[in-house]
Amino acid sequence: MNEETVNIHASTPEPFVSAQMITKSFQIGPTRIDVLKGVSLSAKRGEWLALTGASGSGKTTLLDIIGTISRPNTGRLLIDGTDLSALSQRKTVAFRRKKIGFVFQAYHILPELNILENVMLPGLLDGKSARLCRERARELLDQVGLSHRILHRPNELSGGEQQRAAIARALLNAPELLLADEPTGNLDSVTGKGILDIFRTIHESGRTTILMVTHDRTVAALADRSIELRDGLIFH
Ligand SMILES: Nc1ncnc2c1ncn2[C@@H]1O[C@H](COP(=O)(O)OP(=O)(O)OP(=O)(O)O)[C@@H](O)[C@H]1O
Ligand SMILES: [Mg+2]
């Protein structure tokens, strides 16, 4: 590769995430709900995007698609140059485990595991050693202020504590893409600030692209860019 080619690449980097004309509809009985009507967005590596929009506008639906948990009806999704539309289910799961951390709106902490085991899980599924996963999980639980709860079951934790455990779990594999669905939604302002500090540190590392759903304008203001979902479309 000659110098000129290198410069061309440096000035026009490929987006890390590129969603192109994504549509998604749900059929409930005789009624079809068109939630996403041709959503396109892209994010550079290391960019922090805030996603806003009214309740029911499709934010979680879009995050699930970008997180490769559900598939769009039509449209294309590329992450780090990989076309997810063309990938088998098995390869998609492996890709997700390697690249993506997900903080779900409803946490999805597994009730039969304690908090430490829950946080270790993405690493174990990715084939990392139990020792490494345990060390990293302890570190992350300490960062989110849950060191004193690691052997508790999720049902013994408050909503905010479960949310913080979900954040620690999402970070275990040091994901290149971090998707967070209202990660401070259930937290008091002090705890919420602590969590935002963690996101800020991750952002400063420059290697993680963050897409965060939030209803809070002050949280959205921390991001590099805000986008809004309205009437099934994205507004910049
Ligand atoms: N699995 C599903 N089956 C049928 N309808 C669904 C399904 N998932 C979402 N919807 C519908 O799609 C619309 C968008 O839902 P979604 O959860 O994406 O909204 P949201 O923007 O995340 O809202 P909130 O801010 O309340 O979390 C809603 O009208 C919802 O009822
Ligand atoms: Mg939602």
Side-chain angles (χ1 to χ4, degrees):
M1 198 184 276
N2 65 32
E3 204 172 307
E4 204 166 86
T5 324
V6 171
N7 284 340
I8 288 167
H9 279 265
S11 58
T12 53
E14 285 288 304
F16 187 72
V17 176
S18 173
Q20 300 163 8
M21 292 303 287
I22 300 282
T23 68
K24 184 78 177 179
S25 306
F26 295 107
Q27 189 79 35
I28 305 176
T31 316
R32 200 178 84 167
I33 309 174
D34 298 319
V35 180
L36 305 176
K37 301 178 185 167
V39 163
S40 298
L41 70 88
S42 64
K44 290 183 278 207
R45 182 182 289 274
E47 198 174 17
W48 180 352
L49 260 63
L51 175 60
T52 63
S55 178
S57 60
K59 303 180 297 297
T60 299
T61 304
L62 179 60
L63 232 59
D64 283 350
I65 289 171
I66 294 176
T68 74
I69 289 165
S70 78
R71 291 206 182 229
N73 296 125
T74 60
R76 239 172 132 217
L77 173 67
L78 288 111
I79 299 175
D80 199 12
T82 299
D83 187 345
L84 273 303
S85 350
L87 230 53
S88 69
Q89 188 60 23
R90 194 175 56 82
K91 285 193 172 152
T92 302
V93 171
F95 183 90
R96 186 191 312 141
R97 280 184 188 148
K98 282 253 172 290
K99 299 250 181 205
I100 304 175
F102 214 122
V103 184
F104 295 96
Q105 191 168 21
Y107 323 137
H108 293 313
I109 297 282
L110 302 178
E112 61 273 24
L113 301 179
N114 70 31
I115 294 305
L116 182 65
E117 291 162 344
N118 261 289
V119 176
M120 287 170 66
L121 196 61
L124 296 174
L125 290 171
D126 190 41
K128 296 190 171 78
S129 78
R131 185 159 162 265
L132 182 78
C133 295
R134 196 174 300 111
E135 267 172 30
R136 176 118 178 93
R138 281 180 184 276
E139 245 172 60
L140 287 165
L141 283 164
D142 189 38
Q143 275 183 39
V144 299
L146 281 181
S147 304
H148 59 308
R149 288 279 182 271
I150 62 172
L151 299 179
H152 284 249
R153 294 289 173 100
N155 63 2
E156 296 162 348
L157 265 59
S158 71
E161 287 171 335
Q162 289 183 50
Q163 189 163 37
R164 283 184 279 154
I167 291 165
R169 183 182 58 184
L171 297 176
L172 195 100
N173 285 333
E176 289 168 75
L177 175 59
L178 179 58
L179 303 170
D181 206 341
E182 286 200 70
T184 55
N186 273 310
L187 304 177
D188 62 88
S189 61
V190 173
T191 315
K193 190 180 167 304
I195 294 300
L196 289 173
D197 284 343
I198 294 172
F199 277 93
R200 208 182 275 132
T201 308
I202 294 167
H203 179 51
E204 279 163 8
S205 79
R207 69 176 293 279
T208 303
T209 305
I210 304 173
L211 180 56
M212 180 190 278
V213 172
T214 184
H215 285 291
D216 188 333
R217 274 173 200 280
T218 53
V219 174
L222 293 171
D224 295 318
R225 200 148 59 85
S226 252
I227 52 179
E228 188 190 350
L229 251 182
R230 207 189 318 145
D231 303 326
L233 297 168
I234 285 280
F235 289 83
H236 293 262

